[in-house]
Amino acid sequence: MENHNHEANINQDYLCNGLLQVLVLEPPPVFKFHGEQLSKIFHFLKAWESPLPLHQYLTINSQSVKAVLSAGTTPITPDIIRLIPSLGIIVTTSAGLNHIDLQECRRRQISIAIAGTLYSEDAADLAVGLLIDVFRKISTADRYVRRGLWASQRDYQFPLGSKLGGKQVGIVGLGSIGLNVAKRLEAFGCNILYNSRKKKPSVPYPYYPDVCDLATHCDVLIICCGLTDETHHMINKKVLLELGKEGVIINVGRGAVIDEKEMVECLVQEEIAGAGLDVFESEPNVPKELFSLENVVLSPHRAVHSEETLMALCDLVVGNFEAFFSNKPLLTPLVED
């Protein structure tokens, strides 16, 4: 973590006991690893530690708060924002923004600092890892060996995996994460197709404006998009049936982009071949039907949790808050289309 000297350029009125005051609604993952370093720079008001209901806590403690650090779990609704009358910035460590009421922030002229492209490579790595695992049955093979079945069931024919090269891979959401997935899978010899809000003239991949049409032409769908009203349950049974019995779905975007109930039905009824899932609709709750399926690989929303990225995230959080309190441009401001 970089050495930050914030006091020289920051208005002393923003300091509490010599530290920048920041409200935190829920514990962000970065606290587990770098909370001590961050606490040397910020005076954190930790709402989750209070026995008071959140609205009551905010009414008492947040009248002068100008900055909020959000991990993306607690929704920042218009009601929450109204209880923080001096709020000027929200720094979110989440890749998505569906937890923040952007319209209310625009109305109040509240700045939002995002993670930018910080998570893109890690998320792409995990997407490819999940895909390889599903195709080559790595997790299944690991369990087979650990349970002693390799030695005790010598006549058992372990099921064959599938080759990755030559597969038609459809990427849903060709932003920074999606582009990194495409770059990695091209190296494996995959053919890339994509669906996105708009066609991207700078990329050579075939564009499909309709996700159902995309699924028809693919062996794999990889979900890399954010969750919006438009993308909620965009991947439904109709799309999955078009993907077909040999098709695999990977999700490193948001759980609710897929209609989870319909996906589970398709997996149980063998209407698609498998899935690799890092995100779910009601985290941390995962449909129990998935636990017994050997063709499904599960991950507890860890796509962006690498040591290097969390260290870089610390620096980004500090840099954005210091920029705000020094009346300088944010490092990674939200820029809306």
Side-chain angles (χ1 to χ4, degrees):
M1 185 171 171
E2 294 177 4
N3 184 28
H4 294 264
N5 180 15
H6 60 270
E7 293 192 34
N9 301 313
I10 292 173
N11 188 325
Q12 298 299 299
D13 292 340
Y14 297 149
L15 302 179
C16 177
N17 298 323
L19 303 175
L20 295 169
Q21 183 172 260
V22 173
L23 172 68
V24 191
L25 302 180
E26 77 273 281
V30 73
F31 270 27
K32 296 177 184 176
F33 303 96
H34 303 293
E36 185 177 340
Q37 297 98 308
L38 289 170
S39 293
K40 293 176 182 177
I41 303 171
F42 302 111
H43 172 70
F44 290 115
L45 298 174
K46 300 177 181 179
W48 75 91
E49 291 185 348
S50 172
L52 297 174
L54 180 58
H55 281 61
Q56 189 176 346
Y57 176 87
L58 293 178
T59 300
I60 296 170
N61 294 285
S62 68
Q63 296 307 297
S64 62
V65 166
K66 297 185 179 297
V68 166
L69 176 61
S70 169
T73 305
T74 301
I76 301 181
T77 63
D79 285 343
I80 295 292
I81 293 171
R82 289 187 198 109
L83 291 171
I84 316 173
S86 299
L87 183 60
I89 186 172
I90 299 169
V91 173
T92 180
T93 62
S94 168
L97 291 169
N98 52 292
H99 60 292
I100 299 174
D101 191 297
L102 299 179
Q103 184 174 350
E104 182 66 13
C105 288
R106 282 192 293 268
R107 190 186 72 80
R108 284 270 305 272
Q109 297 184 317
I110 296 167
S111 299
I112 298 175
I114 59 176
T117 60
L118 182 64
Y119 299 142
S120 300
E121 292 189 352
D122 283 355
D125 287 348
L126 188 70
V128 174
L130 288 170
L131 179 58
I132 293 173
D133 195 334
V134 173
F135 271 156
R136 298 307 306 269
K137 305 185 185 301
I138 296 172
S139 292
T140 301
D142 179 82
R143 290 189 291 270
Y144 180 72
V145 173
R146 288 177 187 273
R147 291 169 183 166
L149 300 179
W150 190 20
S152 64
Q153 297 183 359
R154 300 303 294 270
D155 295 332
Y156 175 73
Q157 180 62 52
F158 191 83
L160 294 175
S162 181
K163 188 176 181 178
L164 184 57
K167 292 294 189 293
Q168 298 279 108
V169 178
I171 297 175
V172 180
L174 201 69
S176 180
I177 293 173
L179 284 168
N180 273 278
V181 171
K183 180 172 70 173
R184 283 154 174 73
L185 289 178
E186 278 189 299
F188 282 95
C190 296
N191 301 308
I192 307 299
L193 309 82
Y194 77 101
N195 165 272
S196 210
R197 282 180 298 173
K198 326 173 180 174
K199 186 174 183 179
K200 298 182 181 292
S202 60
V203 301
Y205 316 126
Y207 170 66
Y208 290 81
D210 180 73
V211 73
C212 211
D213 192 24
L214 175 68
T216 303
H217 292 84
C218 289
D219 304 302
V220 178
L221 280 183
I222 300 182
I223 311 304
C224 300
C225 62
L227 180 62
T228 65
D229 290 341
E230 291 73 27
T231 63
H232 182 265
H233 284 186
M234 177 171 64
I235 308 300
N236 53 25
K237 187 169 185 176
K238 181 181 178 184
V239 174
L240 294 170
L241 291 178
E242 291 295 336
L243 185 60
K245 289 183 177 295
E246 302 300 317
V248 167
I249 189 154
I250 305 294
N251 193 359
V252 294
R254 281 290 181 267
V257 174
I258 300 176
D259 187 318
E260 196 166 79
K261 182 179 179 182
E262 293 187 352
M263 177 191 66
V264 169
E265 289 176 1
C266 287
L267 285 163
V268 170
Q269 295 168 10
E270 300 183 352
E271 291 172 322
I272 59 174
L277 308 169
D278 182 55
V279 287
F280 305 88
E281 279 207 60
S282 301
E283 296 175 2
N285 301 306
V286 177
K288 291 183 173 58
E289 298 92 330
L290 298 178
F291 296 163
S292 61
L293 298 179
E294 292 289 347
N295 58 340
V296 176
V297 180
L298 305 173
S299 171
H301 202 151
R302 303 287 291 179
V304 301
H305 286 199
S306 71
E307 181 179 340
E308 297 86 350
T309 292
L310 285 182
M311 181 66 76
L313 178 62
C314 271
D315 291 328
L316 191 62
V317 166
V318 173
N320 274 310
F321 278 132
E322 289 186 346
F324 170 76
F325 285 113
S326 302
N327 294 315
K328 294 179 179 178
L330 300 179
L331 303 184
T332 50
L334 171 64
V335 179
E336 298 189 69
D337 295 336

